[in-house]
Amino acid sequence: MLSGKNILLGITGGIAAYKTTFLVRLLIKAGAEVKVIMTESASSFVSPLTLATLSKNPVLLDFINEDDGSISWNNHVELGLWADIMLLAPATANTLSKMANGTCDNLLLATYLSAKCPVYFAPAMDLDMYKHPSTKKSFEALQSFGNVMIPAESGELASGLSGEGRMAEPENIIGFLQDHLSTGLPLSDKKVLITAGPTHEAIDPVRFLGNRSTGSMGFALAEHAAQLGAKVVLVSGPSNLTTSHANIELVRITSAQEMYEAVHQYFSEIDIAISAAAVADYRPKEVANQKIKKKADAPLELALERTKDILASMGTQKQQQFLVGFALETENELANAKAKLQRKNLDAIILNSLQDKGAGFGTTTNKITFIDKNLNVKAFELKTKAEVAADIWKEISNRVHA
Ligand code: CTP
């Protein structure tokens, strides 16, 4: 479950920090990519050099790096987006209280506030601190935000006392993460199919009909589903984008017919399908074997024929699947999208209006309206495509688990 995952390990200032050297080794052994952020006091308990060597990445200590006279910035937003999982171990009472209250006075806390991924925390403190109502309040607040607590263990404490408060042993933290990832994420039992990108319809060996879709919305949907634990098949037309998430099987195709065949190879096994591809509606009726030569005066006429409607075909075969389409409209948007939802037998449709600036193809942002089969309509603000993907998955998840 940890193989291929980007793990951001936040280490705070407690004696259990020395155990994070073993924790990093186990994470790397499990196939994870690890980046470490430490608070200043954590670096008194365990050497950043040791952790940088074990994690094979520089250890991040502050917002600003000053090396050899050059200054660079550790971007907490980028770190938050990079991570599939954020793990705080050991998590001290002080840092947990700051996290619960939105305090942001170091790189680790700023990254915590920026992270969109699941957050796990493994508290470590003396037994009375662990039992204190104020600490319990932090635990409750963080769990109410969706963060997951890896409970402390009982035993001998650094103070010489014995009781509850020891950080869970590194092997147990790994075991907890693995168990939780396989059962605890909202889409961990779901198989998801997503189509993305344009299709290219050959005219001759060197030319094609295509469109300006980049695939970014479909890829963002696939990444987010994988982060929520789903097994994802991403069928993409020609796109420069790629993905390395272990839960995503990327199937690259070129034409609408190839996309149709790939989709139908997987569809019967799928729980949720989202059709985000900009599939060509027409293709040349005949594909020339040789490059078409221009003629002096005569215009070139291409006869076109319809491609198969992949989404509509999924709609007719639908059984257990929750099926979602996209509609890109320029006028009578809501009415057209609702009609499309019913015509293609969908469970939901996501409307892009070309009248909204920043929506649709070739932008990093999108503005959507989510419509379900009961014709409930929810309009969202203009957001980045990663944020839009999160909104879409929240709407789908609510309905699939209802
Ligand atoms: N779609 C598909 N296969 C096609 C065409 C479209 O799977 N051959 C899917 C798209 O991925 C999208 C939805 O259908 O989810 C868009 O529906 P469509 O009726 O093609 O939209 P428009 O092309 O905008 O329709 P119209 O020409 O009616 O405006």
Side-chain angles (χ1 to χ4, degrees):
M1 291 305 294
L2 293 169
S3 172
K5 292 254 175 354
N6 290 341
I7 301 192
L8 204 50
L9 174 62
I11 306 179
T12 67
I15 180 63
Y18 84 90
K19 293 189 182 173
T20 55
T21 53
F22 301 102
L23 183 57
V24 170
R25 282 202 57 191
L26 291 174
L27 289 168
I28 298 277
K29 226 169 128 188
E33 172 84 7
V34 181
K35 287 188 183 174
V36 174
I37 307 181
M38 297 172 89
T39 60
E40 198 184 335
S41 54
S43 63
S44 308
F45 289 99
V46 59
S47 144
L49 179 61
T50 309
L51 291 161
T53 311
L54 291 171
S55 68
K56 304 186 181 77
N57 274 311
V59 168
L60 310 167
L61 293 158
D62 206 345
F63 289 101
I64 287 170
N65 285 319
E66 286 185 64
D67 291 329
D68 307 327
S70 70
I71 298 184
S72 62
W73 182 45
N74 290 322
N75 186 331
H76 55 92
V77 177
E78 273 175 17
L79 284 166
L81 289 173
W82 173 85
D84 297 317
I85 293 170
M86 185 167 187
L87 167 64
L88 283 108
T92 58
N94 181 42
T95 291
L96 292 172
S97 164
K98 287 179 172 182
M99 285 160 65
N101 289 291
T103 306
C104 185
D105 59 3
N106 62 38
L107 178 65
L108 177 54
L109 291 164
T111 309
Y112 166 70
L113 290 178
S114 307
K116 293 205 177 68
C117 59
V119 176
Y120 295 80
F121 62 95
M125 60 198 77
D126 208 47
L127 75 167
D128 293 316
M129 293 170 80
Y130 194 71
K131 277 197 284 213
H132 197 282
S134 173
T135 313
K136 288 223 173 328
K137 226 170 110 191
S138 302
F139 294 161
E140 280 162 19
L142 293 171
Q143 289 178 93
S144 77
F145 304 158
N147 301 169
V148 183
M149 175 155 145
I150 305 177
E153 295 174 0
S154 285
E156 206 176 297
L157 298 161
S159 61
L161 299 171
S162 190
E164 206 178 9
R166 265 165 63 136
M167 185 181 84
E169 289 300 326
E171 304 80 45
N172 297 343
I173 292 180
I174 300 283
F176 185 101
L177 288 178
Q178 276 167 335
D179 285 353
H180 198 267
L181 287 172
S182 59
T183 56
L185 289 168
L187 297 178
S188 59
D189 57 343
K190 299 287 180 243
K191 288 196 189 119
V192 166
L193 173 69
I194 295 173
T195 67
T199 64
H200 288 180
E201 309 302 327
I203 297 171
D204 67 16
V206 293
R207 302 186 181 94
F208 60 84
L209 291 176
N211 61 65
R212 293 184 203 282
S213 167
T214 58
S216 55
M217 194 62 244
F219 274 69
L221 284 164
E223 290 282 342
H224 199 82
Q227 275 170 25
L228 295 178
K231 284 251 172 290
V232 182
V233 178
L234 174 60
V235 180
S236 175
S239 164
N240 291 331
L241 299 175
T242 189
T243 172
S244 56
H245 201 294
N247 278 7
I248 303 177
E249 181 184 348
L250 177 58
V251 180
R252 293 200 189 266
I253 53 82
T254 304
S255 65
Q257 180 60 27
E258 287 169 9
M259 184 173 274
Y260 177 91
E261 284 162 20
V263 159
H264 285 84
Q265 200 180 318
Y266 293 96
F267 188 64
S268 62
E269 309 270 289
I270 290 296
D271 301 299
I272 303 167
I274 308 181
S275 179
V279 186
D281 289 324
Y282 292 91
R283 65 179 176 199
K285 212 167 170 182
E286 269 158 32
V287 183
N289 288 333
Q290 306 297 329
K291 184 174 168 236
I292 300 173
K293 300 295 267 181
K294 61 180 162 301
K295 297 200 178 93
D297 314 313
L300 175 69
E301 285 185 6
L302 282 177
L304 301 179
E305 64 183 7
R306 283 293 308 269
T307 55
K308 289 184 187 135
D309 189 323
I310 304 165
L311 179 59
S313 149
M314 286 193 267
T316 57
Q317 293 182 15
K318 192 174 82 160
Q319 299 199 355
Q320 79 283 1
Q321 295 89 345
F322 188 93
L323 187 57
V324 184
F326 271 77
L328 182 66
E329 304 290 343
T330 52
E331 55 179 355
N332 301 326
E333 290 100 331
L334 263 183
N336 282 345
K338 286 177 182 172
K340 206 165 278 181
L341 179 146
Q342 285 164 339
R343 196 168 65 240
K344 299 198 186 192
N345 192 25
L346 308 181
D347 296 285
I349 195 157
I350 296 151
L351 166 64
N352 282 141
S353 166
L354 275 191
Q355 293 188 11
D356 290 324
K357 263 198 163 161
F361 289 1
T363 61
T364 53
T365 53
N366 205 355
K367 185 171 183 328
I368 58 147
T369 303
F370 189 96
I371 306 162
D372 71 13
K373 69 170 177 212
N374 299 323
L375 304 186
N376 296 309
V377 174
K378 190 163 175 183
F380 290 85
E381 298 297 305
L382 183 72
K383 298 185 183 189
T384 65
K385 285 189 174 166
E387 289 167 333
V388 171
D391 287 339
I392 290 172
W393 275 114
K394 206 163 177 191
E395 294 304 317
I396 295 174
S397 226
N398 285 344
R399 286 163 177 84
V400 168
H401 292 115

